Amino acid sequence: MNDDCNNQSNGGRKRRRKIENGVDKSVNGVENQQLNNNKGLMITSLFLLDDQNKQQKLEWEEISHQENPNFELNPNKKTQSMLDYHPIVHNHYDGFNETDRISRKKSKKSSSDDKNAKLEKQSGGGGSSASHQRRLWVKDRCKAWWNECNRPDYPEIEFKKLFRMGKSTFEFICDELKSAVAKEDTMLRASIPVNQRVAVCIYRLATGEPLRLVSNRFGLGISTCHKIVLDVCAAIRSVLMPRYLNWPDEESLRRVKEEFESVSGIPNVVGSMYTTHIPIIAPKVSVAAYFNKRHTERSQKTSYSITVQGVVDLKGVFSDVCIGWPGSMSDDKVLEKSALYQRGIQGLLNGFWIVGGSSYPLMDWTLVPYNQPNLTWTQHAFNEKIGEIRSVAKDAFARLKGRWCCLQKRTEVKLQELPVVLGACCVLHNICEMRGEEMDPNLNFELFDDEMVPEKPLQSLSSVKARDSIAHNLLHHGLVGTSFL
């Protein structure tokens, strides 16, 4: 029975396989027939495309054959047509560029008008076209401080504190420098007035404030203030120095001699000499030459300086200055480099005395104190009188530095421009002294200039005898009042 069942199952499997195989063959046949039909269609499409391409190619060849004779017959006509077409295109783009330029110009003008309208609204309205042009070129700055100082009713005391001189002296300097300092107005901006230009320079020299603060006070640019200071100092040197700082003539020398003799009892003294140092920023070249060893050792800070040698009369007015030699040079070396020394060796100072300290040599025209130990009463008396005369020059330099505070600290001026600024300070000092401008006691400045004994303290035997004679006359004619007698 089991066998019968197995046989029936095996037969069923065989019948199913036959049916499946039949179905598969039928299905495969249908698919194969569809593929063959698709291939036939693709081949037919390719043939049609080839025929179309051939037909188009023939048409183009026919058209070209028809046009070639015309082109060969009329080449000039074709060329002229091309040439006529080019200016049409060119004019078209020119018109387009012109339209674009006009539109941009209009937009720019409208934006400028809007900006001017805003500025006019902020400033309270009004104003001419010139003011609008100035706003485009000049930055608006506050000038309230200078306008206040420039008022006629501004207090004299406050003005003198700011500018170290009264209004009358300030106006006098402005009148003297007007031709050299004045500038012309331009279409773009108005020039800075003369009195404001002079005020910028004097205020900068008097206070020594940084240019940034000077700019804020006067409502000007920093570079403008710096240029104004240099221009006014150069004008002072070229216009005022020949008139207010020069070696006295014979009549003036006679008057100076009488003044010194009436005070000291020493005849033929025409000036008191002193040398001071002005601090500077370390230069880029020859640094060692400007290194001030004595000031560095005293303050324990590295110091660089230049020297100013000056000769003054009894009133403290400078009659000769020598500016700009390096701070490492001793006083006697600076003297040898000065025009005063050349005047002396040429014999122009024969019969006159210029009194100096122990840092200068004794010569036929320089009178210095005794410097050896164990001095006699006569020598002590002489040194006391010489010290009184020498203090005139030292006090004058103390007032110079006290009045012009820019000399007390390192300045922003370049080394090559510094002699012009220092010369202007000396000239302004002379004008203030001549016009009786008193200095505020709070501005007093104490000098610290060490004296070094020169290499050759005695350079003339005749001057040694002359000094001994002067010392003898002072003691025995009752012209001294020493504290030890």
Side-chain angles (χ1 to χ4, degrees), residues 260-285:
F260 273 112
E261 187 172 2
S262 63
V263 173
S264 64
I266 301 177
N268 299 325
V269 175
V270 294
S272 176
M273 182 166 54
Y274 187 84
T275 301
T276 190
H277 290 255
I278 306 297
I280 62 171
I281 299 174
K284 296 181 180 180
V285 294

Side-chain angles (χ1 to χ4, degrees), residues 4-23:
D4 293 337
C5 291
N6 291 332
N7 290 332
Q8 289 177 359
S9 63
N10 290 333
R13 292 191 190 98
K14 289 179 181 179
R15 284 193 299 269
R16 284 194 300 270
R17 287 174 183 170
K18 287 180 182 180
I19 292 171
E20 289 175 356
N21 290 334
V23 173

Side-chain angles (χ1 to χ4, degrees), residues 134 138-147 192-193 196 200 203 211-225 228:
R134 285 199 63 200
V138 180
K139 181 178 179 180
D140 290 333
R141 301 176 188 271
C142 180
K143 298 181 175 62
W145 183 86
W146 164 242
N147 292 335
I192 301 172
Q196 187 176 2
V200 169
Y203 182 81
L211 289 170
R212 174 178 54 84
L213 299 180
V214 178
S215 170
N216 292 335
R217 289 189 179 276
F218 286 90
L220 301 172
I222 295 177
S223 59
T224 301
C225 290
I228 287 175

Side-chain angles (χ1 to χ4, degrees), residues 342-387:
Q342 297 298 323
R343 190 181 292 115
I345 63 176
Q346 292 174 7
L348 300 178
L349 298 177
N350 290 341
F352 302 119
W353 292 112
I354 296 177
V355 175
S358 58
S359 60
Y360 299 102
L362 178 65
M363 297 183 290
D364 291 334
W365 49 276
T366 58
L367 193 60
V368 299
Y370 292 97
N371 200 30
Q372 69 269 20
N374 301 323
L375 299 179
T376 64
W377 285 2
T378 304
Q379 293 170 345
H380 272 294
F382 176 82
N383 285 358
E384 187 176 80
K385 284 298 181 181
I386 289 293

Side-chain angles (χ1 to χ4, degrees), residues 246-263 268-271 312-319 352 434:
N246 49 24
W247 189 253
D249 54 18
E250 293 183 0
E251 180 63 25
S252 299
L253 286 176
R254 184 186 61 79
R255 177 181 52 81
V256 172
K257 286 192 303 180
E258 293 176 354
E259 291 175 352
F260 273 112
E261 187 172 2
S262 63
V263 173
N268 299 325
V269 175
V270 294
V312 302
D313 60 13
L314 192 62
K315 297 179 181 178
V317 177
F318 289 100
S319 58
F352 302 119
M434 292 177 180

